[in-house]
Amino acid sequence: MDLQLSGRVAIVTGASKGIGLAIAQTLVDEGVHVVAASRTAPDAKVTHVAVDLMDPDAPAQVVARAVEEFGGVDILVNNAGGPPPGTTLPRFGFMTPDDADWRAMFEFNLFAAVRMIRAAVPHMLERGGSSIVNVSSTMAKQPGAMNVDYGAAKAAVLAVGKSLSEEYGPQGIRVNTVSPGAVLTDWWTKDGGAAEVMAGVTGSDKDSVIAEVAPAMMKLTTGRLVHPQEIADAVALLVSPRSGSTTGAEFVIDGGQLKEI
């Protein structure tokens, strides 16, 4: 299928690895000029802007680079999120994160996206037919006594997306949200990552957590964690003109984790 994306200009945040890298590479393969915002350079043919999105000035720098290099912005994918730099998740219990933890979580997962949208929208309005995809999480919709601050920040991302779709849809900017479940990225696999934390809690080992324990705990219908490419494929379709009537929607890609209607 031709997604009709060739020649368009996209900004992808958190593009150096995992979901962000898969999104960036998929868009490149579709002929998109990709500006990748991340602290380290991705292994992809993109224009990289080395920024820390915890810096309030970073989004404007990224957008300025896209305009300078390619003349505008058609697509914005707010993928950056998860544990703020220096933070390890999961964290258990409401009392565990303090005020500084809450501020860092919202800074990285919500405010960075808000600032990026604020910087990009004026240029997207000039182009017409633009698209924003925000990456949230199933934890926004299935709260529990784990990662409370993360779930709250991602719930806010959902709400912002709905509001933006109402305001800017009539002006030619579609806004949608993708909510992944547990995705097989280095959040899980790295040393000291989620799999090792859960292994310590459950008395298991890292490989067993990824292959068996985590899918069972989350009741994943597929029996496995989601692959980053599965998220990237959905994002590519959402930003395509072929999804021209899709706005204000949430696409959940979670291996069947969420069961409610």
Side-chain angles (χ1 to χ4, degrees):
M1 183 193 304
D2 179 9
L3 294 180
Q4 301 171 9
L5 290 171
S6 183
R8 293 182 179 245
V9 181
I11 293 172
V12 181
T13 68
S16 64
K17 55 189 176 183
I19 294 172
L21 177 57
I23 293 169
Q25 185 59 63
T26 299
L27 293 180
V28 167
D29 291 344
E30 292 293 330
V32 177
H33 302 296
V34 175
V35 177
S38 56
R39 286 174 293 167
T40 57
D43 184 15
K45 292 182 178 180
V46 299
T47 298
H48 179 238
V49 183
V51 289
D52 181 351
L53 290 170
M54 298 286 278
D55 177 0
D57 295 327
Q61 296 170 16
V62 177
V63 171
R65 181 68 179 277
V67 173
E68 176 187 352
E69 291 277 335
F70 303 110
V73 180
D74 301 299
I75 297 163
L76 171 61
V77 182
N78 279 310
N79 164 75
T87 299
T88 297
L89 296 182
R91 282 193 292 226
F92 301 93
F94 172 75
M95 301 296 285
T96 301
D98 59 18
D99 281 5
D101 294 323
W102 276 86
R103 280 192 290 268
M105 190 64 72
F106 271 72
E107 193 72 41
F108 192 46
N109 287 277
L110 176 63
F111 298 143
V114 167
R115 293 178 185 124
M116 188 64 72
I117 294 166
R118 189 184 293 138
V121 158
H123 300 281
M124 300 178 91
L125 289 171
E126 293 177 359
R127 307 273 279 197
S130 300
S131 178
I132 297 172
V133 172
N134 298 317
V135 178
S136 180
S137 167
T138 52
M139 297 194 75
K141 304 189 75 171
Q142 188 165 298
M146 180 172 68
N147 302 331
V148 178
D149 49 346
Y150 175 71
K154 287 302 192 182
V157 169
L158 273 174
V160 168
K162 286 282 189 181
S163 297
L164 288 167
S165 71
E166 283 296 299
E167 180 172 359
Y168 290 108
Q171 301 176 63
I173 302 177
R174 296 183 299 108
V175 185
N176 294 289
T177 303
V178 170
S179 293
V183 182
L184 189 59
T185 66
D186 78 333
W187 182 355
W188 284 88
T189 60
K190 68 182 179 181
D191 292 340
E196 286 194 358
V197 173
M198 291 184 67
V201 173
T202 61
S204 183
D205 62 81
K206 177 179 173 179
D207 291 340
S208 296
V209 165
I210 292 171
E212 302 169 7
V213 176
M217 288 178 64
M218 291 182 284
K219 301 180 181 179
L220 302 187
T221 306
T222 59
R224 63 168 175 84
L225 303 190
V226 179
H227 296 306
Q229 188 61 50
E230 294 170 313
I231 309 299
D233 290 342
V235 171
L237 180 59
L238 280 173
V239 302
S240 164
R242 288 185 174 271
S243 295
S245 292
T246 304
T247 191
E250 180 195 11
F251 279 57
V252 176
I253 306 169
D254 66 350
Q257 176 189 1
L258 297 181
K259 311 296 184 184
E260 75 276 6
I261 295 174

